[in-house]
Amino acid sequence: MRNQLNEELDELRHDILAMGSLVEEALRKALHALKTGDAALAKDVRRGDAEIDALRLGIDDRAAMLIATQQPVAGNLRELVTVFKLTDNLERIGDHAAHLAKTARRLADDPYPLPLDRLERMAAAGVAMVHDAVEAYLRRDEALAREAAAKDDEIDAEHKAFLREVLAYLAGRPDKAEQATKLIATSSFLERLGDHVTNLCEAVVFMLTGAHAELND
Amino acid sequence: MMSEAETAFSIRGLDLWYGKSQALKSVTADLPARSVTALIGPSGCGKSTFLRTLNRMNDLVGGVRIEGSVLYDGVDVLSPSTDVIDLRKRVGMVFQKPNPFPMSLYDNVAYGPRVHGVRDKARLDDIVEGSLVRAALFDEVKDRLHESALGLSGGQQQRLCIARVLAVEPEVVLMDEPTSALDPISTAKIEALLDELKRDYTIVIVTHNMQQAGRVSDRTAFFLLGELVEYAATKELFFNPADERTENYISGRFG
C-alpha cells in the first residue's frame, strides 16, 4: 500500500542527502580557502551554491506535490513538513559557505597577522554538525540530532573569543579597521551557520516526536 | 441542557458478540456532547457495530450478546427496560445509502412527527420547513415539496434523510458512512452541514474516508479487530498518533 508515496519519500531523502553532501563540500572548500587564500576555490564554491539552490527547489516542488496528491498524515506528513525546513536551512548554510569563501579570498590580499585557528575550528565544527544533522534525519536518530545541535555551543564560544581577539588587535592597529571588519563578518557567518544547523536538528526532532524542541537558546 | 464539554455517551467495558465471534472488545470511551466524533478503521473492525450500539440498532440482529455499559445522558441504553422508541427519537440515525420513503418530500419529513402524534397542519408545515432548512436542502426543493422524494439527486436524498431525522428533534445524529454513495460536491455539502449541526446536536459518524474524518470531526476513534486502539483529538490523531497501528492505518499501510 502507498508504494508511490514511500518511493517518492525515498527519493526525497536521497536528494536531501545529496544536498547535505554538497553543503558539506562547500564548507570544506571554504575552510580550505580560508587556510590557503585560494581564489579559484572561492569561485568553485559559488558555482556549487547554484547547484545546491537548484536541488532545493526541486525537492520543495516534489514535497509540495506529494502533499497535494497523496494527502500524507502522521509521520509521513511530519517528514514532509520537515523537508521544507531542512532544505531552507541547508540552502542558507550553502550561502554562508559562499560568503565565507569570498571573504577568505579577500583576506588573502591582506593577510591577517594572527592565526585563524578559531575560524577554522568553527568551520570544521560546522561541517561535522551538518553531517550529523543530515545523518540524524536519514537514520531517524533523535539522540544524534540533539548531539549535533549541542556542538553549536563550541562555535558560539569560539565566536565570542575571536571577537575579543580581533578587538584587542584593532586597538593596537586602528589602520586595520577594514580587515578587522571582514574578520568579524566571517566569524558572524560561521556563528549563524551554527544556528542554521541547530534549526536542522530541531526539525529532525520535530519529525520524530511531533514536539517543537528548542535545542539552543 | 448539556453544557459544552459535557459527555453525551459514557461507554464502559463494552463487549459485543455476534454468536461466537467477538465484534467489540472492552471498549471504554466518553463521547462529548455537541461535537463530531468520527469512527474509523478497516472493514470489520467494529466501528459500525459500535455506532449501532448507541441507539440499540443491534437489537435487530439475531444472536447478539452485549456486556458492559452505555450511558446516554444518564439513561442506561442497554437496559431491557429502556424505551427503545424514545431512545431512537433522541438518538437518530442516517444510513450509508439514502433511503427516502416512496412518498413526497413533505411526507418524508413529516413522517416521524406524525408517528409521534403531531397532527396540526401548521405545526407540521413548520417542522418540515425548519428541518429542510437545517439540512441545507430547503432552498433547492421548496417549490416541489409535494413531488416524490425519489426524483431527488443522491446528495439531495441524503440531506432529505438528515431532515427526516432532524424533524423528530433528536439530540444525537448517528451517521453510518453518510457520503460514501455521494459525489464530491454533495459530500462537501453534507460535510459543511455537519459543521452547522454540531452546534445543536451530538454527531457520531462512521467513515471510510480518512480525509473526511480529518475534515469534519473534533475527535476520532480508531478501531481495529473490535478494539478501540486510539481515541483522541482529531488533529492529534492525524498528526502525531500515539499508537503505531493507528499510524500505519491512517498512512494507508494496511486496511
Side-chain angles (χ1 to χ4, degrees):
Chain A
M1 293 290 282
R2 310 290 306 241
N3 275 335
Q4 197 193 343
L5 176 60
N6 288 327
E7 275 169 26
E8 300 212 25
L9 276 171
D10 271 346
E11 279 174 30
L12 282 183
R13 288 176 196 130
H14 179 269
D15 282 1
I16 284 175
L17 173 62
M19 197 176 164
S21 304
L22 286 175
V23 169
E24 264 184 61
E25 193 187 316
L27 278 175
R28 278 211 191 83
K29 282 182 183 161
L31 175 60
H32 197 66
L34 196 64
K35 281 178 181 163
T36 62
D38 187 336
L41 271 179
K43 210 172 182 182
D44 219 23
V45 172
R46 239 194 350 263
R47 209 177 306 122
D49 196 41
E51 199 180 336
I52 291 169
D53 291 354
L55 203 48
R56 181 255 170 102
L57 294 179
I59 293 170
D60 284 3
D61 285 351
R62 278 153 50 216
M65 201 58 73
L66 283 181
I67 290 173
T69 57
Q70 300 274 344
Q71 288 94 40
V73 293
N76 291 338
L77 178 60
R78 294 204 308 275
E79 175 163 2
L80 283 165
V81 171
T82 298
V83 161
F84 291 110
K85 298 185 192 177
L86 295 181
T87 56
D88 187 32
N89 282 287
L90 282 172
E91 193 256 333
R92 298 280 195 91
I93 295 168
D95 289 347
H96 287 314
H99 285 305
L100 185 59
K102 200 158 95 185
T103 313
R105 195 196 60 209
R106 284 189 191 149
L107 279 173
D109 301 338
D110 185 8
Y112 180 55
L114 296 174
L116 298 178
D117 300 11
R118 290 196 191 281
L119 293 184
E120 288 170 14
R121 280 202 294 275
M122 288 168 80
V127 171
M129 283 174 77
V130 170
H131 182 88
D132 286 352
V134 173
E135 187 80 10
Y137 162 67
L138 293 170
R139 293 206 323 234
R140 306 182 166 262
D141 187 337
E142 185 187 344
L144 183 58
R146 289 179 179 276
E147 227 171 84
K151 286 193 196 125
D152 190 36
D153 291 345
E154 293 171 25
I155 293 184
D156 286 347
E158 294 283 3
H159 175 58
K160 275 181 196 144
F162 187 71
L163 287 189
R164 277 196 302 272
E165 284 175 14
V166 174
L167 290 176
Y169 167 74
L170 189 58
R173 294 291 307 269
D175 58 309
K176 290 286 188 182
E178 197 187 333
Q179 198 189 29
T181 310
K182 278 180 200 153
L183 286 170
I184 290 171
T186 304
S187 188
S188 300
F189 282 146
L190 290 167
E191 188 265 336
R192 239 172 300 149
L193 182 152
D195 292 344
H196 284 298
V197 188
T198 303
N199 291 346
L200 291 179
C201 297
E202 286 174 353
V204 171
V205 172
F206 168 78
M207 173 182 87
L208 296 174
T209 65
H212 294 283
E214 190 68 58
L215 297 185
N216 256 312
D217 3 84
Chain B
M1 282 301 264
M2 285 177 278
S3 69
E4 200 71 37
E6 200 168 329
T7 297
F9 289 94
S10 182
I11 297 109
R12 293 291 176 271
L14 181 67
D15 288 302
L16 185 145
W17 290 263
Y18 292 123
K20 280 181 182 163
S21 85
Q22 188 167 4
L24 291 175
K25 295 172 185 167
S26 191
V27 174
T28 291
D30 286 330
L31 310 188
R34 270 186 293 291
S35 72
V36 179
T37 302
L39 312 179
I40 62 169
S43 297
C45 69
K47 59 191 186 300
S48 291
T49 297
F50 178 79
L51 185 79
R52 287 198 298 265
T53 306
L54 301 179
N55 74 344
R56 293 269 299 270
M57 292 295 278
N58 286 318
D59 285 13
L60 308 173
V61 184
V64 171
R65 186 159 61 88
I66 306 178
E67 285 174 13
S69 74
V70 176
L71 290 182
Y72 172 67
D73 193 21
V75 175
D76 182 354
V77 170
L78 302 179
S79 164
S81 62
T82 292
D83 179 347
V84 177
I85 303 296
D86 183 60
L87 175 70
R88 292 192 190 138
K89 180 179 177 299
R90 298 178 73 186
V91 184
M93 193 155 194
V94 175
F95 298 89
Q96 182 174 359
K97 285 217 180 98
N99 53 351
F101 302 138
M103 47 180 82
S104 73
L105 275 68
Y106 186 100
D107 289 338
N108 262 276
V109 181
Y111 188 89
R114 279 175 176 147
V115 166
H116 288 283
V118 180
R119 288 281 175 268
D120 180 65
K121 173 79 169 71
R123 170 118 178 77
L124 279 175
D125 286 352
D126 279 350
I127 292 174
V128 169
E129 176 170 340
S131 302
L132 288 168
V133 167
R134 272 179 290 165
L137 183 61
F138 185 71
D139 288 341
E140 290 168 51
V141 301
K142 60 185 176 215
D143 300 325
R144 44 175 169 147
L145 293 181
H146 297 284
E147 292 172 23
S148 169
L150 302 180
L152 298 177
S153 74
Q156 289 172 329
Q157 287 186 5
Q158 192 62 304
R159 277 178 284 147
L160 178 69
C161 292
I162 292 171
R164 199 171 60 194
V165 168
L166 299 182
V168 297
E169 296 175 340
E171 294 152 17
V172 180
V173 182
L174 307 179
M175 299 185 164
D176 197 351
E177 298 184 52
T179 64
S180 64
L182 304 182
D183 65 81
I185 305 272
S186 303
T187 297
K189 281 184 181 162
I190 302 259
E191 288 181 0
L193 176 58
L194 290 182
D195 213 44
E196 290 289 318
L197 293 179
K198 76 173 184 186
R199 291 178 199 174
D200 300 313
Y201 305 90
T202 298
I203 295 168
V204 187
I205 178 172
V206 165
T207 176
H208 270 294
N209 179 335
M210 236 91 65
Q211 279 75 41
Q212 178 168 73
R215 284 192 298 266
V216 306
S217 71
D218 301 295
R219 291 179 69 80
T220 297
F222 168 58
F223 287 83
L224 186 64
L225 301 167
E227 186 192 338
L228 176 56
V229 170
E230 188 163 352
Y231 174 47
T234 296
K235 56 188 176 190
E236 186 65 22
L237 190 131
F238 279 90
F239 195 63
N240 196 11
D243 195 291
E244 206 185 335
R245 292 168 292 174
T246 312
E247 168 118 19
N248 287 337
Y249 179 71
I250 63 176
S251 304
R253 289 195 270 272
F254 70 86

